[in-house]
Coordinates of all heavy atoms in Angstrom, one line a residue:
M1 N 210.6 52.0 124.3 CA 209.5 52.5 123.7 C 209.7 53.9 123.2 O 210.3 54.7 124.0 CB 208.3 52.6 124.7 CG 207.8 51.2 125.1 SD 206.5 51.4 126.3 CE 207.3 50.7 127.7
D2 N 209.4 54.2 122.0 CA 209.6 55.6 121.5 C 208.2 56.3 121.4 O 207.2 55.7 121.1 CB 210.2 55.5 120.1 CG 211.6 55.0 120.1 OD1 212.3 55.4 121.0 OD2 212.0 54.4 119.1
V3 N 208.3 57.6 121.6 CA 207.0 58.4 121.5 C 207.5 59.9 121.2 O 208.6 60.3 121.6 CB 206.2 58.4 122.8 CG1 206.9 59.0 124.0 CG2 204.8 59.0 122.6
E4 N 206.6 60.6 120.5 CA 206.9 62.0 120.2 C 207.0 62.7 121.6 O 206.1 62.4 122.4 CB 205.8 62.6 119.3 CG 205.8 62.1 117.9 CD 207.0 62.5 117.1 OE1 207.4 63.7 117.3 OE2 207.5 61.7 116.3
K5 N 207.9 63.6 121.8 CA 208.0 64.3 123.0 C 206.8 65.3 123.3 O 206.4 65.6 124.4 CB 209.3 65.1 123.1 CG 210.4 64.3 123.5 CD 211.4 65.0 124.3 CE 212.5 64.1 124.8 NZ 213.4 64.7 125.6
N6 N 206.1 65.7 122.2 CA 204.9 66.6 122.4 C 203.7 65.7 122.6 O 203.1 65.2 121.7 CB 204.7 67.4 121.1 CG 203.5 68.3 121.3 OD1 202.9 68.4 122.3 ND2 203.2 69.1 120.2
N7 N 203.4 65.4 123.8 CA 202.3 64.4 124.1 C 201.1 65.2 124.8 O 200.8 64.9 125.9 CB 202.8 63.3 125.0 CG 203.4 63.7 126.3 OD1 203.3 64.9 126.7 ND2 204.1 62.8 127.0
S8 N 200.5 66.1 124.1 CA 199.5 66.9 124.6 C 198.2 66.1 124.9 O 197.4 66.6 125.7 CB 199.2 68.1 123.7 OG 198.8 67.6 122.4
G9 N 198.0 65.0 124.2 CA 196.8 64.2 124.4 C 197.0 63.3 125.6 O 198.0 63.1 126.1
R10 N 195.9 62.8 126.1 CA 195.9 61.9 127.3 C 196.2 60.5 126.9 O 196.7 59.7 127.6 CB 194.6 62.0 128.1 CG 194.3 63.3 128.7 CD 195.5 63.9 129.5 NE 195.6 63.3 130.8 CZ 196.6 63.5 131.6 NH1 197.6 64.3 131.2 NH2 196.7 62.9 132.7
K11 N 195.9 60.1 125.7 CA 196.2 58.7 125.2 C 197.2 58.9 124.0 O 196.8 59.5 123.0 CB 194.9 58.0 124.7 CG 195.1 56.6 124.4 CD 193.8 55.8 124.2 CE 194.1 54.4 124.0 NZ 192.9 53.6 123.8
I12 N 198.3 58.3 124.2 CA 199.3 58.4 123.1 C 199.9 57.1 122.7 O 200.0 56.2 123.5 CB 200.5 59.4 123.6 CG1 201.1 58.9 124.9 CG2 200.0 60.8 123.8 CD1 202.3 59.7 125.3
P13 N 200.3 57.0 121.4 CA 200.9 55.7 120.9 C 202.4 55.6 121.3 O 203.1 56.6 121.3 CB 200.7 55.8 119.4 CG 200.7 57.3 119.1 CD 200.1 58.0 120.4
F14 N 202.8 54.4 121.7 CA 204.2 54.1 121.9 C 204.6 53.0 120.9 O 203.9 52.1 120.7 CB 204.4 53.6 123.4 CG 204.2 54.6 124.4 CD1 203.0 55.0 124.9 CD2 205.3 55.2 125.0 CE1 202.8 56.0 125.9 CE2 205.2 56.1 126.0 CZ 204.0 56.5 126.4
E15 N 205.8 53.2 120.4 CA 206.3 52.2 119.5 C 207.2 51.3 120.3 O 208.2 51.7 120.9 CB 207.0 52.8 118.3 CG 207.5 51.8 117.3 CD 208.2 52.4 116.1 OE1 207.7 53.4 115.6 OE2 209.2 51.9 115.6
M16 N 206.9 50.0 120.3 CA 207.7 49.0 121.0 C 209.0 48.7 120.3 O 209.1 49.0 119.1 CB 206.9 47.8 121.3 CG 205.5 48.0 121.9 SD 205.6 48.9 123.5 CE 206.1 47.6 124.6
E17 N 209.9 48.0 120.9 CA 211.2 47.7 120.3 C 211.0 46.8 119.0 O 211.8 46.9 118.1 CB 212.1 47.0 121.3 CG 212.6 47.9 122.3 CD 213.6 47.2 123.3 OE1 213.8 46.0 123.2 OE2 214.0 47.9 124.3
D18 N 209.9 46.0 119.0 CA 209.7 45.1 117.9 C 208.9 45.8 116.7 O 208.6 45.2 115.8 CB 209.0 43.8 118.3 CG 207.6 44.1 118.8 OD1 207.1 45.3 118.9 OD2 206.9 43.1 119.3
G19 N 208.6 47.1 116.9 CA 207.9 47.9 115.9 C 206.4 48.0 116.0 O 205.8 48.7 115.3
T20 N 205.9 47.2 116.9 CA 204.4 47.3 117.1 C 204.1 48.5 117.9 O 204.9 49.1 118.6 CB 203.9 46.0 117.9 OG1 204.6 46.0 119.2 CG2 204.1 44.7 117.2
Q21 N 202.8 49.0 117.8 CA 202.4 50.2 118.5 C 201.4 49.8 119.6 O 200.5 48.9 119.4 CB 201.7 51.2 117.6 CG 202.7 52.1 117.0 CD 202.0 53.4 116.5 OE1 200.8 53.5 116.5 NE2 202.8 54.3 116.0
V22 N 201.5 50.4 120.7 CA 200.6 50.3 121.9 C 200.2 51.6 122.3 O 201.0 52.6 122.4 CB 201.3 49.5 123.1 CG1 200.4 49.4 124.3 CG2 201.8 48.2 122.6
E23 N 198.9 51.8 122.6 CA 198.4 53.1 123.1 C 198.3 53.1 124.6 O 197.7 52.1 125.1 CB 197.1 53.5 122.4 CG 197.3 53.9 121.0 CD 196.1 54.6 120.4 OE1 195.0 54.4 120.9 OE2 196.2 55.3 119.4
F24 N 198.8 54.1 125.3 CA 198.6 54.2 126.7 C 198.0 55.5 127.1 O 198.2 56.5 126.4 CB 200.0 54.1 127.4 CG 200.7 52.8 127.5 CD1 201.9 52.6 126.8 CD2 200.1 51.8 128.2 CE1 202.5 51.4 126.9 CE2 200.8 50.5 128.3 CZ 202.0 50.4 127.6
Y25 N 197.2 55.5 128.1 CA 196.6 56.7 128.7 C 197.7 57.2 129.6 O 198.3 56.5 130.5 CB 195.4 56.4 129.6 CG 194.2 56.1 128.8 CD1 193.8 54.8 128.5 CD2 193.4 57.2 128.3 CE1 192.7 54.6 127.7 CE2 192.2 56.9 127.6 CZ 191.9 55.6 127.3 OH 190.8 55.3 126.6
V26 N 198.1 58.5 129.5 CA 199.0 59.1 130.4 C 198.2 59.7 131.5 O 197.5 60.7 131.3 CB 199.9 60.2 129.6 CG1 200.8 60.9 130.6 CG2 200.6 59.6 128.5
L27 N 198.4 59.1 132.7 CA 197.6 59.6 133.8 C 198.2 60.8 134.5 O 197.6 61.7 135.1 CB 197.4 58.5 134.8 CG 196.7 57.2 134.2 CD1 196.8 56.1 135.2 CD2 195.3 57.5 133.8
E28 N 199.6 60.8 134.5 CA 200.3 61.9 135.2 C 201.7 61.8 134.7 O 202.2 60.8 134.2 CB 200.2 61.7 136.7 CG 200.8 62.9 137.5 CD 200.0 64.2 137.3 OE1 198.9 64.3 137.8 OE2 200.6 65.1 136.6
Q29 N 202.4 63.0 134.8 CA 203.8 63.0 134.5 C 204.5 63.9 135.6 O 203.9 64.7 136.2 CB 204.1 63.5 133.1 CG 203.6 64.9 132.8 CD 203.8 65.3 131.4 OE1 203.8 64.4 130.5 NE2 203.8 66.6 131.1
T30 N 205.8 63.6 135.8 CA 206.5 64.3 136.8 C 208.0 64.3 136.4 O 208.4 63.5 135.6 CB 206.3 63.8 138.2 OG1 206.8 64.7 139.2 CG2 207.0 62.4 138.4
R31 N 208.8 65.2 137.1 CA 210.2 65.2 136.9 C 210.8 65.0 138.3 O 210.4 65.6 139.2 CB 210.6 66.6 136.3 CG 212.1 66.7 136.1 CD 212.5 68.0 135.4 NE 212.4 67.9 134.0 CZ 213.4 67.6 133.2 NH1 214.6 67.5 133.7 NH2 213.2 67.5 131.9
F32 N 211.8 64.1 138.4 CA 212.4 63.7 139.6 C 213.9 63.6 139.4 O 214.4 62.8 138.5 CB 211.8 62.4 140.1 CG 212.3 61.9 141.4 CD1 212.1 62.6 142.6 CD2 212.9 60.7 141.6 CE1 212.5 62.2 143.8 CE2 213.3 60.2 142.8 CZ 213.1 61.0 143.9
Y33 N 214.7 64.5 140.1 CA 216.1 64.6 139.9 C 216.5 64.7 138.4 O 217.4 64.1 137.9 CB 216.8 63.3 140.5 CG 216.8 63.4 142.0 CD1 216.0 62.6 142.8 CD2 217.7 64.2 142.7 CE1 216.0 62.6 144.1 CE2 217.7 64.3 144.1 CZ 216.9 63.5 144.8 OH 216.9 63.5 146.2
G34 N 215.8 65.6 137.7 CA 216.1 65.9 136.3 C 215.7 64.9 135.3 O 216.0 65.0 134.1
V35 N 214.9 63.8 135.7 CA 214.5 62.8 134.8 C 212.9 62.9 134.7 O 212.3 63.0 135.8 CB 214.9 61.4 135.3 CG1 214.4 60.3 134.4 CG2 216.4 61.3 135.4
D36 N 212.4 62.7 133.5 CA 210.9 62.7 133.3 C 210.4 61.3 133.5 O 211.0 60.4 133.0 CB 210.6 63.3 131.9 CG 210.9 64.8 131.8 OD1 210.7 65.5 132.8 OD2 211.4 65.2 130.7
Y37 N 209.2 61.3 134.1 CA 208.5 60.0 134.3 C 207.1 60.1 133.9 O 206.5 61.2 134.1 CB 208.6 59.6 135.8 CG 210.0 59.2 136.3 CD1 210.8 60.2 136.8 CD2 210.4 57.9 136.3 CE1 212.1 59.9 137.3 CE2 211.7 57.6 136.7 CZ 212.5 58.6 137.3 OH 213.7 58.2 137.7
L38 N 206.5 59.1 133.4 CA 205.1 59.0 133.1 C 204.5 57.9 133.8 O 205.0 56.8 134.0 CB 204.9 58.7 131.6 CG 205.4 59.8 130.6 CD1 205.1 59.2 129.2 CD2 204.8 61.1 130.8
L39 N 203.2 58.1 134.3 CA 202.4 57.1 134.9 C 201.4 56.8 133.8 O 200.6 57.6 133.4 CB 201.7 57.5 136.2 CG 200.8 56.5 136.8 CD1 201.6 55.3 137.3 CD2 200.0 57.2 138.0
V40 N 201.4 55.5 133.3 CA 200.5 55.2 132.2 C 199.8 53.9 132.5 O 200.2 53.1 133.3 CB 201.3 54.9 130.9 CG1 202.1 56.2 130.5 CG2 202.3 53.8 131.0
T41 N 198.7 53.7 131.7 CA 197.9 52.5 131.8 C 197.2 52.3 130.5 O 197.0 53.2 129.7 CB 196.8 52.6 132.9 OG1 196.1 51.4 133.0 CG2 195.9 53.7 132.7
E42 N 196.9 51.0 130.2 CA 196.2 50.7 128.9 C 194.7 51.1 129.0 O 194.0 51.3 128.1 CB 196.4 49.3 128.5 CG 197.8 49.0 128.0 CD 197.9 47.6 127.5 OE1 197.3 47.3 126.5 OE2 198.6 46.8 128.1
D43 N 194.2 51.1 130.3 CA 192.8 51.4 130.6 C 192.8 52.7 131.3 O 193.6 53.0 132.2 CB 192.2 50.3 131.4 CG 190.8 50.5 131.8 OD1 190.2 51.5 131.4 OD2 190.2 49.5 132.4
G44 N 191.9 53.6 131.0 CA 191.8 55.0 131.6 C 191.3 55.0 133.0 O 191.4 56.0 133.7
D45 N 190.8 53.9 133.5 CA 190.2 53.8 134.8 C 191.2 53.3 135.8 O 191.4 52.1 136.1 CB 189.0 52.9 134.8 CG 188.2 52.9 136.1 OD1 188.4 53.8 136.9 OD2 187.4 51.9 136.3
L46 N 192.0 54.2 136.4 CA 193.1 53.9 137.3 C 192.8 53.0 138.5 O 193.5 52.0 138.7 CB 193.9 55.1 137.7 CG 195.1 54.8 138.6 CD1 196.1 54.0 137.8 CD2 195.8 56.1 139.1
P47 N 191.7 53.2 139.2 CA 191.5 52.4 140.4 C 191.4 50.9 140.0 O 191.8 50.0 140.8 CB 190.2 52.9 140.9 CG 190.1 54.3 140.5 CD 190.8 54.3 139.1
E48 N 191.0 50.6 138.8 CA 190.9 49.2 138.4 C 192.0 48.7 137.5 O 192.2 47.5 137.2 CB 189.6 49.0 137.7 CG 188.3 49.3 138.5 CD 188.2 48.5 139.8 OE1 188.5 47.3 139.8 OE2 187.9 49.1 140.8
A49 N 192.8 49.6 137.0 CA 193.8 49.3 135.9 C 195.2 49.0 136.6 O 195.5 49.5 137.6 CB 193.9 50.4 135.0
Q50 N 196.0 48.3 135.8 CA 197.4 48.1 136.2 C 198.2 49.2 135.5 O 198.1 49.4 134.3 CB 197.9 46.7 135.7 CG 199.3 46.5 136.1 CD 199.7 45.1 135.7 OE1 199.0 44.3 135.1 NE2 200.9 44.8 136.1
A51 N 198.9 49.9 136.3 CA 199.7 51.1 135.8 C 201.2 50.7 135.7 O 201.7 49.8 136.4 CB 199.5 52.3 136.8
L52 N 201.8 51.4 134.8 CA 203.3 51.3 134.6 C 203.9 52.7 134.9 O 203.3 53.7 134.5 CB 203.6 50.8 133.2 CG 203.1 49.5 132.8 CD1 203.4 49.3 131.3 CD2 203.9 48.4 133.6
I53 N 205.1 52.7 135.4 CA 205.9 53.9 135.5 C 207.0 53.8 134.4 O 207.8 52.9 134.4 CB 206.4 54.2 136.9 CG1 205.3 54.4 137.9 CG2 207.3 55.4 136.9 CD1 205.7 54.5 139.3
L54 N 207.0 54.8 133.5 CA 208.0 54.9 132.5 C 209.0 56.0 132.7 O 208.6 57.1 133.1 CB 207.3 55.1 131.1 CG 206.2 54.1 130.7 CD1 205.6 54.5 129.4 CD2 206.8 52.7 130.7
K55 N 210.2 55.7 132.4 CA 211.3 56.7 132.6 C 211.8 57.1 131.2 O 212.1 56.3 130.4 CB 212.4 56.0 133.4 CG 213.7 56.8 133.6 CD 214.7 55.9 134.4 CE 215.9 56.7 134.7 NZ 216.8 55.9 135.6
D56 N 212.0 58.4 131.0 CA 212.5 59.0 129.8 C 214.0 58.9 129.7 O 214.7 59.5 130.6 CB 212.0 60.4 129.6 CG 212.4 61.0 128.2 OD1 213.0 60.3 127.4 OD2 212.0 62.2 128.0
L57 N 214.5 58.1 128.8 CA 216.0 57.9 128.7 C 216.6 58.8 127.6 O 217.8 58.8 127.5 CB 216.3 56.5 128.4 CG 215.8 55.4 129.4 CD1 216.2 54.0 128.9 CD2 216.4 55.7 130.8
S58 N 215.8 59.6 126.9 CA 216.3 60.4 125.8 C 216.9 61.7 126.3 O 216.6 62.1 127.5 CB 215.2 60.7 124.8 OG 214.2 61.4 125.4
G59 N 217.7 62.3 125.5 CA 218.2 63.6 125.9 C 217.3 64.8 125.7 O 216.3 64.6 125.0
E60 N 217.6 65.9 126.3 CA 216.7 67.1 126.2 C 216.5 67.5 124.8 O 215.4 68.0 124.5 CB 217.3 68.2 127.0 CG 217.4 68.0 128.5 CD 216.1 68.4 129.2 OE1 215.4 69.3 128.7 OE2 215.7 67.8 130.2
Q61 N 217.5 67.4 123.9 CA 217.4 67.9 122.6 C 216.8 66.9 121.6 O 216.5 67.2 120.4 CB 218.8 68.3 122.1 CG 219.5 69.3 122.9 CD 218.8 70.6 123.0 OE1 218.2 71.1 122.0 NE2 218.7 71.2 124.2
S62 N 216.5 65.7 122.0 CA 215.9 64.7 121.2 C 214.5 65.0 120.8 O 213.7 65.4 121.7 CB 216.0 63.3 121.9 OG 215.5 62.3 121.1
A63 N 214.1 64.8 119.5 CA 212.7 65.0 119.1 C 211.8 63.9 119.6 O 210.6 64.1 119.7 CB 212.7 65.1 117.6
E64 N 212.3 62.7 119.8 CA 211.5 61.6 120.3 C 212.0 61.2 121.6 O 213.2 61.2 121.9 CB 211.6 60.4 119.3 CG 210.8 60.6 118.0 CD 210.7 59.3 117.3 OE1 211.4 58.3 117.5 OE2 209.9 59.3 116.4
A65 N 211.1 60.8 122.5 CA 211.4 60.3 123.8 C 211.7 58.8 123.7 O 211.0 58.1 122.9 CB 210.3 60.6 124.8
L66 N 212.5 58.3 124.5 CA 212.8 56.9 124.6 C 212.5 56.5 126.1 O 213.2 56.9 127.0 CB 214.3 56.6 124.3 CG 214.7 55.1 124.4 CD1 213.9 54.2 123.5 CD2 216.2 55.0 124.2
Y67 N 211.4 55.7 126.2 CA 210.9 55.4 127.6 C 211.3 53.9 127.9 O 211.2 53.0 127.0 CB 209.4 55.6 127.7 CG 209.0 57.0 127.8 CD1 208.7 57.7 126.7 CD2 209.1 57.7 129.0 CE1 208.3 59.0 126.8 CE2 208.7 59.0 129.1 CZ 208.3 59.7 128.0 OH 208.0 61.0 128.1
E68 N 211.5 53.7 129.2 CA 211.8 52.3 129.7 C 210.9 52.1 130.9 O 210.8 53.1 131.7 CB 213.3 52.2 130.0 CG 213.7 50.9 130.6 CD 215.2 50.9 130.9 OE1 215.6 51.4 132.0 OE2 215.9 50.5 130.1
I69 N 210.4 51.0 131.1 CA 209.6 50.7 132.3 C 210.6 50.7 133.5 O 211.7 50.1 133.5 CB 209.0 49.3 132.2 CG1 207.9 49.3 131.1 CG2 208.3 48.9 133.5 CD1 207.3 48.0 130.8
V70 N 210.2 51.4 134.6 CA 211.1 51.4 135.8 C 211.0 50.1 136.5 O 209.9 49.7 136.9 CB 210.6 52.6 136.7 CG1 211.4 52.6 138.0 CG2 210.8 53.9 136.0
E71 N 212.1 49.5 136.7 CA 212.1 48.2 137.4 C 212.9 48.2 138.7 O 212.7 47.3 139.5 CB 212.7 47.1 136.4 CG 211.8 46.9 135.2 CD 212.3 45.8 134.3 OE1 213.3 45.2 134.5 OE2 211.6 45.5 133.3
D72 N 213.8 49.2 138.8 CA 214.6 49.3 140.0 C 213.7 49.5 141.2 O 212.9 50.5 141.2 CB 215.6 50.4 139.9 CG 216.4 50.6 141.2 OD1 217.3 49.8 141.4 OD2 216.1 51.5 141.9
E73 N 213.7 48.7 142.2 CA 212.7 48.7 143.3 C 212.8 50.1 144.1 O 211.7 50.7 144.4 CB 213.0 47.6 144.3 CG 211.9 47.5 145.3 CD 211.2 46.2 145.3 OE1 211.4 45.4 144.4 OE2 210.3 46.0 146.1
N74 N 214.0 50.6 144.3 CA 214.1 51.9 145.1 C 213.6 53.0 144.2 O 212.9 53.9 144.8 CB 215.5 52.1 145.5 CG 216.0 51.1 146.5 OD1 215.2 50.7 147.4 ND2 217.3 50.7 146.5
E75 N 213.9 53.1 143.0 CA 213.5 54.1 142.1 C 212.0 54.0 141.9 O 211.3 55.1 142.0 CB 214.2 54.0 140.7 CG 213.8 55.1 139.7 CD 214.5 54.9 138.4 OE1 215.0 53.8 138.1 OE2 214.5 55.8 137.6
L76 N 211.4 52.8 141.8 CA 210.0 52.6 141.6 C 209.2 53.1 142.8 O 208.2 53.9 142.7 CB 209.7 51.2 141.4 CG 208.3 50.8 141.0 CD1 207.9 51.4 139.7 CD2 208.2 49.3 140.9
R77 N 209.7 52.8 144.0 CA 209.0 53.3 145.2 C 209.0 54.8 145.3 O 208.0 55.4 145.7 CB 209.7 52.7 146.5 CG 209.3 51.2 146.7 CD 209.8 50.7 148.0 NE 209.5 49.3 148.1 CZ 210.2 48.4 148.6 NH1 211.4 48.8 149.1 NH2 209.9 47.2 148.7
A78 N 210.2 55.4 145.0 CA 210.3 56.9 145.2 C 209.4 57.6 144.2 O 208.7 58.5 144.5 CB 211.8 57.3 144.9
V79 N 209.4 57.1 142.9 CA 208.6 57.8 141.9 C 207.1 57.5 142.2 O 206.2 58.4 142.0 CB 209.0 57.4 140.5 CG1 208.1 58.0 139.4 CG2 210.5 57.8 140.3
A80 N 206.8 56.3 142.6 CA 205.4 55.9 142.9 C 204.8 56.8 144.0 O 203.7 57.3 143.9 CB 205.3 54.5 143.2
A81 N 205.6 57.1 145.0 CA 205.2 58.0 146.1 C 204.9 59.4 145.6 O 203.9 60.0 146.0 CB 206.3 58.0 147.2
L82 N 205.7 59.9 144.6 CA 205.4 61.2 144.0 C 204.1 61.2 143.3 O 203.3 62.1 143.4 CB 206.5 61.6 143.0 CG 207.9 62.0 143.6 CD1 208.9 62.2 142.5 CD2 207.7 63.2 144.4
F83 N 203.8 60.1 142.5 CA 202.6 60.0 141.7 C 201.4 59.9 142.7 O 200.3 60.5 142.4 CB 202.6 58.9 140.7 CG 203.4 59.1 139.5 CD1 204.4 58.3 139.1 CD2 203.1 60.3 138.7 CE1 205.1 58.6 137.9 CE2 203.8 60.5 137.6 CZ 204.8 59.7 137.1
E84 N 201.6 59.2 143.8 CA 200.5 59.0 144.7 C 200.1 60.4 145.3 O 199.0 60.7 145.5 CB 200.8 58.0 145.8 CG 200.8 56.6 145.4 CD 201.3 55.6 146.4 OE1 201.8 56.0 147.4 OE2 201.1 54.4 146.1
E85 N 201.1 61.2 145.6 CA 200.9 62.6 146.1 C 200.2 63.4 145.1 O 199.2 64.2 145.4 CB 202.2 63.2 146.5 CG 202.7 62.8 147.8 CD 204.0 63.5 148.2 OE1 204.1 64.7 147.9 OE2 204.9 62.9 148.8
L86 N 200.6 63.3 143.8 CA 200.0 64.1 142.8 C 198.6 63.8 142.5 O 197.7 64.6 142.2 CB 200.8 64.0 141.5 CG 202.2 64.6 141.5 CD1 203.0 64.2 140.2 CD2 202.1 66.1 141.5
L87 N 198.3 62.5 142.6 CA 196.9 62.0 142.2 C 196.0 61.9 143.4 O 194.8 61.7 143.2 CB 197.0 60.6 141.5 CG 197.7 60.7 140.2 CD1 197.9 59.2 139.7 CD2 196.8 61.4 139.2
E88 N 196.5 61.9 144.6 CA 195.7 61.8 145.8 C 194.8 60.6 145.8 O 194.3 60.2 144.7 CB 194.8 63.1 146.0 CG 195.6 64.3 146.1 CD 194.6 65.6 146.2 OE1 193.4 65.4 146.3 OE2 195.2 66.7 146.2
D89 N 194.5 60.0 146.9 CA 193.6 58.9 147.0 C 193.8 57.7 146.0 O 192.9 57.0 145.7 CB 192.1 59.3 146.9 CG 191.7 60.3 147.9 OD1 192.3 60.3 149.0 OD2 190.8 61.2 147.6
V90 N 195.1 57.6 145.5 CA 195.4 56.5 144.6 C 196.6 55.8 145.2 O 197.6 56.4 145.5 CB 195.7 57.0 143.2 CG1 196.3 55.9 142.3 CG2 194.5 57.7 142.6
D91 N 196.5 54.5 145.3 CA 197.7 53.7 145.8 C 198.3 53.0 144.5 O 197.6 52.3 143.8 CB 197.2 52.6 146.8 CG 196.8 53.2 148.1 OD1 197.4 54.2 148.5 OD2 195.9 52.7 148.7
I92 N 199.5 53.3 144.3 CA 200.2 52.7 143.1 C 200.9 51.4 143.4 O 200.8 50.5 142.6 CB 201.2 53.7 142.5 CG1 200.3 55.0 142.0 CG2 202.0 53.1 141.3 CD1 201.2 56.1 141.5
L93 N 201.5 51.3 144.5 CA 202.2 50.0 144.8 C 201.4 49.3 145.8 O 200.7 49.7 146.6 CB 203.6 50.3 145.3 CG 204.6 50.9 144.3 CD1 206.0 51.1 145.0 CD2 204.8 50.0 143.1

């Protein structure tokens, strides 16, 4: 998924590998061991919505970010715990 690195709005478009666009609400972002992560959902109401954690695979100098859904179980648990702390009263996993 590609997205402009300047994501000042809360809902931003992502371009999928097949060229289609999907808009996600960015609920929170964090940096963990030098890697940027986004917590996103298609619905802005987190307690009821299914959330995804996206990992930025692009380099620091890249104008566009390249995000991938975090699937590694250990990485997912670690980053989800960070987002739970940041958001308080929210269970991600």
Side-chain angles (χ1 to χ4, degrees):
M1 288 181 252
D2 291 325
V3 66
E4 293 290 322
K5 279 210 171 184
N6 181 4
N7 58 13
S8 58
R10 297 308 284 168
K11 189 172 185 181
I12 56 175
F14 288 80
E15 185 176 320
M16 307 303 282
E17 289 180 3
D18 65 2
T20 60
Q21 270 200 356
V22 177
E23 287 192 339
F24 287 116
Y25 287 94
V26 178
L27 302 173
E28 189 61 73
Q29 59 187 24
T30 193
R31 182 175 272 264
F32 185 58
Y33 287 104
V35 178
D36 292 321
Y37 293 89
L38 298 178
L39 178 65
V40 301
T41 182
E42 288 187 67
D43 183 356
D45 186 17
L46 183 60
E48 302 300 320
Q50 182 175 5
L52 297 172
I53 296 176
L54 304 179
K55 177 181 184 175
D56 186 356
L57 301 177
S58 62
E60 292 275 331
Q61 303 300 320
S62 180
E64 286 191 346
L66 177 62
Y67 286 95
E68 175 180 89
I69 296 171
V70 175
E71 294 181 1
D72 178 78
E73 189 116 358
N74 292 327
E75 181 180 16
L76 186 61
R77 283 189 183 139
V79 177
L82 288 174
F83 282 127
E84 287 175 350
E85 283 183 32
L86 291 169
L87 293 171
E88 303 176 5
D89 300 331
V90 174
D91 292 325
I92 295 175
L93 293 180

